[in-house]
Amino acid sequence: MNFGFNEEQELLRSTARKFFDNECASVTVRKLMDGPEGMTPDLWKKIAEQGWTGLIFADEHGGMGLGFVDLVVLMEEMGRAVVPGPFFSTVLLGGLAVREAGTDAQKKAWLPKITSGEARATLAWMEPSADLGARGITLQATAKGAGFTLNGTKLFVHDAHTADVIVVAARTSSGQNPPAGGQNPEDGVSLFLVPKGTPGLSVTLLPTMDQTRKLCEVGLKDVALGAEALMGQAGSGWAPLARVIDRATVALCAEMCGGAQKVLEMTVEYAKIRQAFGRPIGSYQGVKHKAADMLVDVENSKSITYYAAWAMDEGVPEGQLAVSMAKAYVSDAYRRVSGLGIQLHGGIGFTWEHDLHLYFKRAKGSEFTFGDATWHRERVAQLVNL
Amino acid sequence: MDFALTPEQTSFREEVRSWLAKNLPKDWSDRMRVGSDVPRPEVYDFLRTWQRKMYEAGFMGLTWPKDYGGRGLTFMEEMILQEQIALAKAPPVLNILAIGMAGPTIMAYGTEEQKRRYPAKMLSCEEIWCQGYSEPNSGSDLASLQTRAEKVGDHYVVNGQKVWTSIAHQADWMMLLARTDGKAEKHKGITYFLLDMHSPGVTVKPLKQLTGDDEFNEVYFDNVKVPEANILGGLNNGWAVGMTTLMYERLALGFGLQVRLRIALDGLVDLAKRTKKNGAPATQDPNVRQKLAQMWIDTEVFKYTGARAITKLLKGELPGPEASAGKMMWVEGHQRLQELAMEIQGPYSQLGRGSRWAVDGGVWQYSFLRSRANSIEGGTTEIQKNIIGERVLGLPKG
Ligand SMILES: Cc1cc2nc3c(=O)[nH]c(=O)nc-3n(C[C@H](O)[C@H](O)[C@H](O)COP(=O)(O)OP(=O)(O)OC[C@H]3O[C@@H](n4cnc5c(N)ncnc54)[C@H](O)[C@@H]3O)c2cc1C
Ligand SMILES: Cc1cc2nc3c(=O)[nH]c(=O)nc-3n(C[C@H](O)[C@H](O)[C@H](O)COP(=O)(O)OP(=O)(O)OC[C@H]3O[C@@H](n4cnc5c(N)ncnc54)[C@H](O)[C@@H]3O)c2cc1C
C-alpha cells in the first residue's frame, strides 16, 4: 500500500501551483468572471500548452495518458486558484463523454482537438426537472431516416456558450417517455454529438451565484442530426454517461479539496496577524478550535477523494460507492470550511474585495453539482444494502 | 497511489484469517456484540487468555523488533491484522496501554536491559500495565502534577496520588510520572518511572464510573521504593518521554479505533435492520438511513485518513496533520454512533441490563454511557484542538 503521491505527481503539483499563481491570480479570476466567456484565448492556450487538457487522454489522441490520481493533483490546484473557464466542461464532461461513449471516428475527430486546446466541449444531460437519475432524461430523439431529430431543453450545462461541440443525452426508446413503471429508465438513453451552429440549437447563458462558473440553458428545436452524430449504440448511452458523471464528480471533489485547503490557509494566516483585545485572534480558543475543525474537514476530504480517484483508475467494484462517499463528505466539508472562513475574517470576509466569497460560492455551487450530500448518502445507503 | 497487497502480504492475510476462523470462540460475538466496548471486568480473564493465544500464534507486536519479542514486520502487516480482527469481530487487546504506549516508549528511550526485560511480557499479557499520569489537580494541565519521588540511596521514594488510572487494579506495572525536582520549571522537574504495582505502599482504590463499572481507580503511594534502574529516559526528562508516550497513544488510537468503529457500525446496521420503525425495518426510515450512511462514510474516511498517516510512517516520515485528526474523528464519530443506537431503539433505549425487554441485553446502553469518556480520556477534545491549532496550524498560544 502506498497512499501518497509519487515524485512526478508532486512535481505536477508544484508546476501547477506556480503556473496558476502567475497566470491566474485573483485579479485575473475577477476579470474572467466578469466577462461572459470565463476565459481568455491566451490563458486557455497556455493551459493547453502545459498538456493539461490532454492529461487523462491516450497518447494516440495527443494526450498524456495519465490517470485520475494525477488529475486530482491538477484539479486541487485549480480549485485552490478558483480557475474559471471551460477546463472542467471540456475535459471532464465533453471530452470524457467522447472517450467513454464515442465511436473510433468520433474520437479521432474530437479528442485530438480537445487535447490540443483547439476545441472546447461540454455535456448536456440535466433538464429542468433537475433529476440526477436516468429518469430525468426525457429530451426526445426521434429516428428519421438514418438520423435523428432532437427536441427539448437542457439545463445547468457548463460552458455551452463557448463549446464547439455539445454531447447531448436524449431518449431514443420507442416506449413511453418518460418511461412507464416497470420499464428500466436506463434503457433507451442515447448520446449525440451536436456541433456548435447546428440549426435549431440555441444556447442562453444563465446568471449564476458563482460567477466563476458559467451555466447555460440549451434548447434543441427540430435539431436534425445524421447517423454519424450518434455515439455508440442507440439506447445504451446511460452506462457511459453514468461513468462520465462519476468521474467528473471525483474531479469536482478534488477541486473542492483544493479550495477548502486554500480557505484554511487564508484563515490561519489572518488569525495570526489580526489583533483583537490586544492579542492575535488565533490565540482565542473560539477561533483556534474552529480552525482545528476546518483542518479535520480538509484532511478527511482529501483522504476520501484520493481513494475515489484511485478507485476510478483501478476500476474496483466499489467505485460508485467511493464516488458517493467522497461527494457526500466533501460537499458538507467545503461548505463548512468556507463558511467558517468568512466567519473568522469578521467584516472583511463579507466584502466583495476579499476573495473568500469566490470560494464560498464555489463551495455552494459544487455542493449541488452532480448531487448534494443527501443524494449521495442515499446512494451509499443503497450500495451498502442498508 | 496503490492499495494492492504484495503476495507476501496476501498470504499473511490468509494466515490471520484462517487462524481466527479456527480459534475465535463462537460465543464471543454474542457476548460482546458491540465491538467498540472497552473490556468489562467480567471478561478480563477471558481476554488475558485470548491475548496469550494471539501471542503464541505470533500475532502480537508485529512491528516490534524480534529481539524484544516482536516480529519485525511493518505497519502494513499490522493494518492487515487489525482489519481481519475487525472482520472477524474478534476481541480487543487487553494490555492495550502496554502495547500502545509503554512498549514503544521503552523501546524508544529504554536501556538495553529495560528493552529486554519488559516488552515481551507485555505482548504475552504476562504483565499488565497502567498509566499513572493524571492526578486530582492535574489532568489536562499534566505538567502541574505533584506526586513526588525523592532519592534515597540507590532508590527513589514515591509519595502522592494518581487518579482515573484505568485497569490499575489488574496491573502489574505503571508508567509513572513523578516530580523529582520541585525547584525546576514545571515541565523540567518530572521523571518517568517504571513502577512495580506490587511494591509495598501502593494502594489501589477502585472508583465507580457512571456506567456502574469500576474500570479506573485512585492509586495512592505511601513511601513506595522504586529502584533507580527503573527510570526511563533519564532523570528530569520525564516530560519528553511522557509526550512520546502520548504520541504513540494517538497513533495506536488511530490504528485500533478505526477497527473498533467498523465493528460497532456493523453492529449498529444489524440493530437497525432488526428494529421496526413505523412497521418497517429502521433502515428504511429516511432519517435513520441518512444518519447510517453518514456513519458509514465517516468510518471509511477515518480509515483512509489513517492510511495516509501510515503511508508517511512507512516512508520513514513523521505523521502529519492526518494523525492529529484521528483522535478527534474517532471521538466525534463514536459518540454520534452511540447516540444513533439509542435513537433507533426509541423508548427501549431507556431499558438496561436485567430487563427482559432490553434490546440486546442492554449492551448498547452500556456503550452509549461509556462513550462519554471518549472525549475526556487520552486528552480532551479541547486539548486536541489546541494541539492541532498550535502545533499543526501554527496559531499563537492563548
Ligand atoms: C453586513 C455588515 C454590516 C455592518 N454594519 C455596521 C455598521 O453599520 N456600523 C458599524 O459600526 N459596524 C458595522 N459592521 C461591522 C461589525 O460590527 C463588525 O464586522 C463586527 O463587530 C466584527 O468586527 P471585525 O469585522 O473587526 O472582526 P474582528 O473583530 O477582527 O473578528 C474576526 C474574527 O475573530 C473573532 N474574534 C475576535 N475577538 C475574539 C475573541 N476575543 N474571542 C473569540 N473570537 C474573537 C470574531 O468573532 C471573528 O470571527 C457591519 C458588518 C457587516 C458584516
Ligand atoms: C475513562 C477514563 C479513563 C482514564 N484513564 C486514565 C489513565 O489510565 N491514566 C491516566 O493518567 N489518566 C486517565 N484518565 C484521565 C484523563 O487523561 C483526564 O481525565 C483528562 O486528561 C482530563 O483531565 P481532567 O479530568 O483533570 O479535566 P480538566 O483538565 O480539569 O478539564 C476540565 C474541562 O476543562 C477543559 N480544559 C482544561 N484545560 C483546557 C484548556 N487549556 N483549554 C480548553 N479547555 C480546557 C477540558 O477540556 C475539560 O473539558 C482517564 C479518564 C477517563 C475519563
Side-chain angles (χ1 to χ4, degrees), chain A residues 291-310:
Chain A
D293 290 340
M294 290 165 80
L295 174 105
V296 172
D297 269 343
V298 171
E299 291 303 324
N300 285 341
S301 294
K302 289 181 187 171
S303 306
I304 196 68
T305 299
Y306 299 165
Y307 172 67
W310 177 83

Side-chain angles (χ1 to χ4, degrees), chain A residues 166-238:
Chain A
I166 305 176
V167 174
V168 177
R171 199 158 281 284
T172 43
S173 66
S174 49
Q176 277 175 279
N177 185 14
Q183 199 183 332
N184 184 354
E186 296 179 6
D187 293 338
V189 172
S190 302
L191 300 174
F192 296 91
L193 278 165
V194 184
K196 179 172 76 179
T198 303
L201 177 72
S202 62
V203 176
T204 317
L205 188 60
L206 304 167
T208 44
M209 182 173 73
D210 170 8
Q211 293 168 296
T212 68
R213 193 195 305 268
K214 308 293 182 192
L215 294 179
C216 302
E217 174 184 342
V218 173
L220 295 104
K221 192 167 183 333
D222 298 329
V223 172
L225 299 171
E228 76 289 348
L230 177 68
M231 300 172 77
Q233 288 265 311
S236 54
W238 178 256

Side-chain angles (χ1 to χ4, degrees), chain A residues 285 289, chain B residues 97 130-142 162-167 175 209 215-216 370 372-383 386:
Chain A
Q285 287 189 343
H289 286 189
Chain B
L97 295 168
C130 65
Q131 179 190 21
Y133 280 24
S134 304
E135 298 183 8
N137 292 312
S138 306
S140 301
D141 185 9
L142 185 58
K162 295 288 168 181
V163 75
W164 325 131
T165 320
S166 299
I167 215 174
M175 308 165 240
Q209 305 184 166
E215 177 199 324
F216 59 28
R370 180 60 183 75
R372 293 322 306 174
N374 299 156
S375 45
I376 303 169
E377 60 194 335
T380 66
T381 297
E382 289 74 22
I383 296 297
N386 284 350

Side-chain angles (χ1 to χ4, degrees), chain A residues 87-108:
Chain A
F87 184 87
F88 196 86
S89 48
T90 296
V91 172
L92 285 142
L93 296 174
L96 213 50
V98 173
R99 186 182 94 176
E100 294 295 316
T103 62
D104 282 343
Q106 288 163 339
K107 289 183 199 172
K108 270 200 195 99

